[in-house]
Amino acid sequence: MKSLYSLLISTALVSCTSKPVTAPEPILPVPEAKQVAWQQMETYAFIHFGLNTFNDREWGYGDTDPKLFNPKKLDCEQWARTLVQAGMKGVILTAKHHDGFCLWPFEGTEYSVKHSPWKDGKGNVVKELSEACKKYGLKFAVYLSPWDRHQANYGTPDYLPYFYAQLHDLLTNYGPVFEVWFDGANGGDGWYGGAKDTRTIDRKNYYNYPRIYEMLDSIQPQAIVFSDGGPGCRWVGNEKGFAGATNWSFLRKGEVYPGYPNYPELQYGHVDGNQWVAAECDVSIRPGWFWHEEENDRVKSLKHLSDIYFQSVGYNSVLLLNIPPDTRGLIHEADVARLKEFAAYREATFKDNRVTNGTELWKAQPGDSRSYALKTDSKINVVMLQENISNGQRVEKFEVEVWKDGNWEKAGEGTTVGYKRMVRFPETEADSVRITLNESRLEAQITQVAAYYAAPVTDADVQVAWNNLPRETWKRVSEQPLVIDLGKKTVLKSFTYAPLHAQAKPDMAYKYKFSVSLDGKSWKEVPTHGEFSNIMHNPLPQTVALPAGCQARFVRLDATSPDNQPAKVAMEEIGFLSAAE
């Protein structure tokens, strides 16, 4: 038997020759530093503004006269002040939407603010907002639509230098940008220099995105690139503002592209992905992305916004909240009031973390548990977990318990954590919370556990009126096209298409013709935009204003689906406002 001395010497020698302790190896994929910094912003704003604000459309066709653009009271500092007060960390501006109209005097086209009456053609919205952001401490970013329904050469190789020049102009003249936003809507019908036809493109290859990424990296290396599949951040697969409760920050590299047909899966990510592409949840504070006067009383409620927040930021994503300025060039009073309310609610909720020791790094193996003491007399209904995402996303399943009346009681559970995961449950008074790691990709690294109390919020009982004609007098004459006998002659002010349950379906209406008749035999087509723009991704009610004095006993909606097939529209999905309202 070895002596104690020999054993000590032997142990010391082993100790001296052992390898130094190192930090745990990351589990791939892992984010770049700029992706971590981007997700730490958590909440920022979208600004949809342009000719669509004035022509009352969501997707402009590309033929609206620039002279219509005249926001006489435009004040980008009012926008910036409002966003700062709302707790936003940055703002993304639609420098050019699908209609091709440029909010800056880009030299490559006459379809810009330069040819509008606003400031006698000398205005520049991009410049004014970027300067306002600097003044008020907001980060600035740009949205540039690859699709251009105005340009005659869209869909040909000749369009690409034009698009690259626009991007280069925005990236070199307006200071640092934190994100560049490329929309997934690409190709379709448009004005196209007067051709008024339909253009299709190879969405994977037409724009030569590798070249675009090289340009971005050389000019604005800190910028995150958004598109359906990243590479900086990805679309969440819906325009309702929520991510999946299970949400991996991974995608399979090269699989997802702008216009990706299986987009609903993007709210969950790819568990077997090999590229870090966290989700961004985009949603508008109103039903539409651009301002429409009839939506002034349809701003999302505080409850709706708070639910969105918990299911975006609280589901390992960021929240991109659209706040569209009106025709004055100001953020409307209704939006301003709701934003202040939303900011106050978040401040009241998260100013008091009830956990006393939640910031110590917890390196947890599957099956491990750790309890956290709460402040005295704590009432809680939210628990938050965060991972060290710099070393990868690892947690696959966890459980939350509260110590109450001498027992551990289950309060909630979840799957993925990532940058941030919030679990809501009925309010309870407790002394401690316990987190159990059920499943993980090797060792999990929990950087923070917190607990809060979010005051309950209820929706006010507000009914949005988009039909004031008695439906009991209606009769369906035919299904395709949909023909309705209203029962009596009336003067119509507008009609609304409201997809049932706010759900998209393959045979929903997209393109349409709307006609009226007094006898059901002689029909007159009513001039309209003829398109329920973006209805596939934002299936909320769209109201179409009708010309003054539009008399009808019978109405006909001849609609086609996004796939250009006959659409199926239920009578319950249509509403009318009479001119007497």
Side-chain angles (χ1 to χ4, degrees):
M1 177 179 290
K2 294 184 178 179
S3 68
L4 177 60
Y5 177 81
S6 299
L7 182 61
L8 290 174
I9 291 296
S10 175
T11 303
L13 289 173
V14 171
S15 173
C16 290
T17 58
S18 296
K19 294 182 179 179
V21 177
T22 58
E25 288 293 325
I27 298 179
L28 300 178
V30 295
E32 297 181 57
K34 66 180 180 180
Q35 290 175 305
V36 176
W38 161 82
Q39 193 155 8
Q40 290 170 341
M41 292 176 67
E42 295 193 357
T43 307
Y44 44 91
F46 223 166
I47 294 284
H48 276 66
F49 188 62
L51 273 176
N52 292 349
T53 308
F54 296 85
N55 64 19
D56 202 32
R57 299 192 68 172
E58 284 288 288
W59 286 3
Y61 193 64
D63 59 348
T64 300
D65 193 328
K67 292 179 181 178
L68 189 63
F69 184 83
N70 193 16
K72 295 180 180 180
K73 295 183 179 180
L74 186 138
D75 184 355
C76 287
E77 291 199 9
Q78 185 253 4
W79 303 0
R81 287 193 304 271
T82 299
L83 300 181
V84 169
Q85 291 168 0
M88 303 291 169
K89 300 300 191 296
V91 58
I92 302 176
L93 174 68
T94 55
K96 183 193 79 171
H97 205 252
H98 309 322
D99 63 351
F101 181 74
C102 298
L103 289 180
W104 81 107
F106 177 59
E107 292 296 332
T109 183
E110 296 184 354
Y111 205 53
S112 76
V113 291
K114 184 170 59 177
H115 293 272
S116 76
W118 177 58
K119 293 191 173 182
D120 297 323
K122 297 180 175 62
N124 186 335
V125 181
V126 177
K127 180 180 180 181
E128 290 195 19
L129 182 55
S130 64
E131 291 177 350
C133 286
K134 293 175 186 175
K135 180 175 180 178
Y136 289 93
L138 285 168
K139 293 186 177 182
F140 179 65
V142 292
Y143 164 117
L144 183 68
S145 172
W147 185 21
D148 194 316
R149 300 173 95 179
H150 178 78
Q151 282 298 111
N153 59 3
Y154 178 80
T156 72
D158 293 339
Y159 171 73
L160 298 181
Y162 173 81
F163 179 57
Y164 298 157
Q166 287 184 320
L167 184 59
H168 187 273
D169 201 18
L170 290 170
L171 296 178
T172 55
N173 290 311
Y174 301 101
V177 299
F178 73 88
E179 187 171 333
V180 178
W181 221 92
F182 295 124
D183 205 311
N186 285 283
D189 65 330
W191 187 68
Y192 302 128
K196 297 183 180 180
D197 60 8
T198 298
R199 308 277 174 90
T200 58
I201 61 166
D202 178 349
R203 297 187 179 197
K204 286 186 177 180
N205 301 305
Y206 173 61
Y207 298 109
N208 191 1
Y209 276 110
R211 175 177 175 178
I212 291 173
Y213 301 154
E214 288 180 6
M215 182 195 307
L216 286 167
D217 286 340
S218 65
I219 302 173
Q220 299 268 4
Q222 79 291 338
I224 292 293
V225 179
F226 169 93
S227 75
D228 285 7
C233 64
R234 73 176 192 266
W235 183 40
V236 77
N238 65 71
E239 294 182 356
K240 297 180 180 180
F242 63 81
T246 297
N247 181 16
W248 293 99
S249 296
F250 318 147
L251 289 179
R252 293 184 286 272
K253 188 173 183 179
E255 182 171 320
V256 181
Y257 55 89
Y260 182 62
N262 298 323
Y263 60 85
E265 71 189 35
L266 298 179
Q267 61 187 295
Y268 310 109
H270 295 157
V271 64
D272 60 345
N274 57 356
Q275 182 177 26
W276 188 279
V277 194
E280 179 183 78
C281 297
D282 59 325
V283 64
S284 184
I285 198 169
R286 294 162 168 255
W289 288 94
F290 287 88
W291 179 85
H292 306 283
E293 185 173 11
E294 68 272 11
E295 294 179 356
N296 286 342
D297 61 351
R298 296 165 66 185
V299 175
K300 284 181 172 59
S301 68
L302 175 59
K303 183 180 188 308
H304 197 166
L305 289 175
S306 63
D307 285 341
I308 286 172
Y309 180 83
F310 280 110
Q311 294 179 82
S312 57
V313 176
Y315 277 5
N316 186 35
S317 301
V318 299
L319 172 58
L320 175 58
L321 182 62
N322 181 64
I323 302 128
D326 59 23
T327 51
R328 298 172 300 174
L330 302 174
I331 296 177
H332 192 271
E333 293 80 358
D335 305 63
V336 172
R338 187 52 44 77
L339 287 167
K340 288 181 178 178
E341 191 179 19
F342 183 36
Y345 182 79
R346 300 196 319 275
E347 171 66 20
T349 298
F350 298 109
K351 69 180 180 181
D352 186 11
N353 176 10
R354 307 305 296 174
V355 172
T356 61
N357 59 337
T359 57
E360 179 183 343
L361 178 64
W362 176 31
K363 298 179 180 179
Q365 298 289 340
D368 287 354
S369 296
R370 177 175 283 193
S371 60
Y372 297 85
L374 300 178
K375 296 176 182 177
T376 304
D377 299 326
S378 286
K379 181 169 65 174
I380 62 172
N381 57 9
V382 177
V383 165
M384 181 193 78
L385 286 75
Q386 291 188 274
E387 280 189 82
N388 175 22
I389 59 173
S390 295
N391 275 345
Q393 188 179 353
R394 305 184 179 202
V395 177
E396 296 175 304
K397 187 178 181 181
F398 65 92
E399 185 176 283
V400 178
E401 297 170 286
V402 296
W403 180 258
K404 184 177 180 181
D405 301 328
N407 295 290
W408 287 110
E409 296 181 4
K410 183 175 178 179
E413 61 185 358
T415 51
T416 53
V417 173
Y419 167 72
K420 181 174 286 188
R421 177 67 162 92
M422 298 187 201
V423 179
R424 292 189 288 176
F425 47 86
E427 67 179 58
T428 184
E429 292 186 8
D431 300 314
S432 303
V433 297
R434 182 168 70 180
I435 309 299
T436 299
L437 181 67
N438 303 115
E439 299 175 23
S440 175
R441 302 166 74 224
L442 301 181
E443 176 189 84
Q445 299 179 23
I446 306 300
T447 58
Q448 183 174 16
V449 173
Y452 304 98
Y453 177 72
V457 183
T458 57
D459 270 330
D461 187 18
V462 177
Q463 297 295 323
V464 178
W466 47 269
N467 178 70
N468 64 353
L469 298 183
R471 291 182 180 271
E472 58 269 19
T473 66
W474 298 9
K475 293 181 180 179
R476 184 172 55 206
V477 179
S478 73
E479 291 186 357
Q480 177 49 245
L482 177 64
V483 177
I484 302 173
D485 178 358
L486 299 175
K488 65 177 182 179
K489 184 175 74 173
T490 187
V491 179
L492 300 178
K493 184 171 68 173
S494 65
F495 82 91
T496 296
Y497 173 47
L500 285 175
H501 312 301
Q503 295 293 323
K505 56 182 182 177
D507 56 0
M508 70 192 308
Y510 173 45
K511 298 290 185 180
Y512 69 89
K513 294 180 180 179
F514 182 77
S515 305
V516 296
S517 173
L518 295 177
D519 58 8
K521 299 177 182 178
S522 178
W523 291 92
K524 177 182 179 181
E525 183 179 341
V526 181
T528 64
H529 297 317
E531 175 182 281
F532 297 118
S533 299
N534 200 34
I535 196 76
M536 305 80 73
H537 298 134
N538 193 32
L540 297 177
Q542 290 199 19
T543 298
V544 179
L546 300 174
C550 181
Q551 296 186 42
R553 160 73 186 265
F554 297 85
V555 296
R556 182 175 69 197
L557 184 68
D558 194 352
T560 56
S561 71
D563 294 330
N564 201 32
Q565 299 298 314
K568 293 181 180 180
V569 180
M571 198 161 62
E572 295 79 11
E573 296 179 297
I574 298 296
F576 303 93
L577 291 182
S578 67
E581 175 70 7

